[in-house]
Amino acid sequence: MRPLPAFFGPTAAVPGISGKWIGRLAAIGGMVLGVVRPATAQASYTGQLGGARVEMLLEQIILPRGIGVYLYSKVGTPIVLNSNIRHGALVLTEYTADRPITQQTLFKTKYKPTATFTIPAFSFSTPVLHGTWRSLTTKRQLPLTLTLTTGPDDAGTAAAPPTALQMDAAPDYYFKTLLTGKSNDPATRVKAVQVIEKKTNRIIQQFPVNCRAIGSHNVSVDDYNFDGLLDFSIYEDDAETPDLASFGYNNSTSQYFLYDPAAKQFIASGFQGIGLTFDAKKKRVYKYTPTNTYGVVTEAEYRVVNNHLVLIGKRTFERYPHLKDL
């Protein structure tokens, strides 16, 4: 399973969240922000925060709230943002985590707000935004200037398509997706994913894909082959059949890219299946398939051998046996 797409993430060079669910409830600082769904508007910016160069992606999810992600170009580590419109001004709150985020620690992790951005009279169509960044601990303030690079209605060109900065990152790399069209168009897809080196901001790899665009949540980082090194995956789409969601399981698919330490690059894996679940403790991969409307599910168990899934066995069990008596 590729659990939740990273609704929030670390602000240090630590593992990201393995994620693939389209919907997700996320409690940040004790506040439930809402269900993540494909953004109705998305805008990318470059600019200056104080004397530092920054990149930012803002997404509108549920009015008046939204989410976002930004990074300092010299650091390259994505920082999560929670956005809200207050009296016409855009207020962005950034969060830090108290531990590295992994699939196992996701819901045990505590987050705290560390700074806010205030941008008066915000609009996704404004070409240049001016605002203020303020630390919640030191009260230090810095000026912010953001220049719009691609807005919700910007389809870009074949040579320069719209991009989406991703929330999940590895210690040495961050990721961007390349889109086929306008971010607010439901037909827009992800056509490629870029692997970018943090210390140089250099694109070291680019993989062609054909995936449903879900803003900053497409890419997830985790150790999918259990070798102690971080890999990444990209959410593809929900599967039409079987409807695993009705049985309480993930029914989506992903593409998985494994890190090859000898080549010092990522390679496309042959991992396939709907709703794959990765158990780091057991070093096993599970795939679930429903067989009838009473929740009878077949579980296939795999181990990873030379970056291939090798079937160990299968078992069939009733997910909801009491439903037969209804």
Side-chain angles (χ1 to χ4, degrees), residues 3-19 24 26-29 69 77-81 94-112 167-171 219-224 229-231 280:
L4 312 170
F7 191 83
F8 42 77
T11 57
V14 295
I17 305 168
S18 172
R24 158 180 185 167
I28 299 180
V69 59
T77 298
I79 301 172
V80 69
L81 297 170
E94 67 176 63
Y95 289 83
T96 59
D98 70 338
R99 71 180 72 193
I101 302 172
T102 66
Q103 179 176 332
Q104 287 73 34
T105 65
L106 173 60
F107 293 109
K108 298 178 181 178
T109 303
K110 295 181 180 179
Y111 300 84
K112 63 178 181 179
M167 286 189 178
D168 267 21
V219 170
S220 294
V221 174
D222 210 337
D223 180 5
Y224 296 113
L229 302 174
L230 289 177
D231 314 303

Side-chain angles (χ1 to χ4, degrees), residues 230-241:
L230 289 177
D231 314 303
F232 80 92
S233 61
I234 182 165
Y235 164 83
E236 288 183 300
D237 213 332
D238 286 349
E240 294 183 4
T241 56

Side-chain angles (χ1 to χ4, degrees), residues 203-257:
I203 300 171
I204 62 168
Q205 287 181 277
Q206 180 168 308
F207 295 96
V209 295
N210 180 15
C211 303
R212 181 181 176 187
I214 53 173
S216 59
H217 316 101
N218 273 97
V219 170
S220 294
V221 174
D222 210 337
D223 180 5
Y224 296 113
N225 58 353
F226 313 122
D227 64 352
L229 302 174
L230 289 177
D231 314 303
F232 80 92
S233 61
I234 182 165
Y235 164 83
E236 288 183 300
D237 213 332
D238 286 349
E240 294 183 4
T241 56
D243 185 12
L244 278 175
S246 65
F247 296 105
Y249 293 97
N250 190 350
N251 70 328
S252 56
T253 61
S254 288
Q255 292 187 39
Y256 298 89
F257 299 86

Side-chain angles (χ1 to χ4, degrees), residues 47-311:
Q48 295 285 323
L49 174 54
R53 184 180 182 275
V54 296
E55 294 184 44
M56 185 177 292
L57 177 78
L58 296 179
E59 299 175 73
Q60 177 180 297
I61 304 298
I62 304 173
L63 288 174
R65 292 179 172 177
I67 58 176
V69 59
Y70 86 102
L71 57 77
Y72 293 89
S73 298
K74 286 187 176 181
V75 180
T77 298
I79 301 172
V80 69
L81 297 170
N82 165 27
S83 66
N84 211 332
I85 300 292
R86 300 173 186 170
H87 306 293
L90 177 66
V91 178
L92 304 170
T93 304
E94 67 176 63
Y95 289 83
T96 59
D98 70 338
R99 71 180 72 193
I101 302 172
T102 66
Q103 179 176 332
Q104 287 73 34
T105 65
L106 173 60
F107 293 109
K108 298 178 181 178
T109 303
K110 295 181 180 179
Y111 300 84
K112 63 178 181 179
T114 53
T116 60
F117 296 83
T118 302
I119 302 174
F122 171 79
S123 170
F124 275 109
S125 61
T126 302
V128 180
L129 298 172
H130 297 280
T132 303
W133 174 92
R134 179 175 180 267
S135 169
L136 295 179
T137 54
T138 66
K139 310 303 179 185
R140 183 188 182 195
Q141 297 189 67
L142 295 172
L144 172 72
T145 301
L146 295 174
T147 300
L148 182 68
T149 55
T150 55
D153 296 313
D154 188 350
T157 64
T163 63
L165 178 65
Q166 298 297 293
M167 286 189 178
D168 267 21
D172 297 323
Y173 310 102
Y174 65 96
F175 304 90
K176 288 184 180 180
T177 54
L178 279 61
L179 308 182
T180 60
K182 301 176 182 179
S183 66
N184 61 0
D185 184 348
T188 293
R189 306 280 290 179
V190 174
K191 68 177 183 179
V193 57
Q194 295 176 334
V195 182
I196 305 173
E197 188 177 48
K198 286 183 177 181
K199 61 183 179 182
T200 64
N201 292 301
R202 181 172 59 94
I203 300 171
I204 62 168
Q205 287 181 277
Q206 180 168 308
F207 295 96
V209 295
N210 180 15
C211 303
R212 181 181 176 187
I214 53 173
S216 59
H217 316 101
N218 273 97
V219 170
S220 294
V221 174
D222 210 337
D223 180 5
Y224 296 113
N225 58 353
F226 313 122
D227 64 352
L229 302 174
L230 289 177
D231 314 303
F232 80 92
S233 61
I234 182 165
Y235 164 83
E236 288 183 300
D237 213 332
D238 286 349
E240 294 183 4
T241 56
D243 185 12
L244 278 175
S246 65
F247 296 105
Y249 293 97
N250 190 350
N251 70 328
S252 56
T253 61
S254 288
Q255 292 187 39
Y256 298 89
F257 299 86
L258 308 177
Y259 186 72
D260 182 345
K264 294 184 179 180
Q265 63 181 11
F266 294 92
I267 58 173
S269 77
F271 294 3
Q272 294 181 339
I274 299 170
L276 293 182
T277 299
F278 295 82
D279 190 322
K281 291 183 178 180
K282 296 181 179 180
K283 295 186 177 181
R284 294 290 185 264
V285 181
Y286 298 92
K287 180 171 66 175
Y288 298 93
T289 305
T291 59
N292 64 30
T293 56
Y294 295 113
V296 177
V297 176
T298 297
E299 176 192 78
E301 181 179 0
Y302 301 86
R303 59 191 176 99
V304 181
V305 179
N306 295 325
N307 290 333
H308 291 84
L309 296 182
V310 177
L311 182 65

Side-chain angles (χ1 to χ4, degrees), residues 4 7-8 21 23-27 32-36 107:
L4 312 170
F7 191 83
F8 42 77
W21 300 343
R24 158 180 185 167
L25 292 176
V32 176
L33 184 58
V35 178
V36 174
F107 293 109

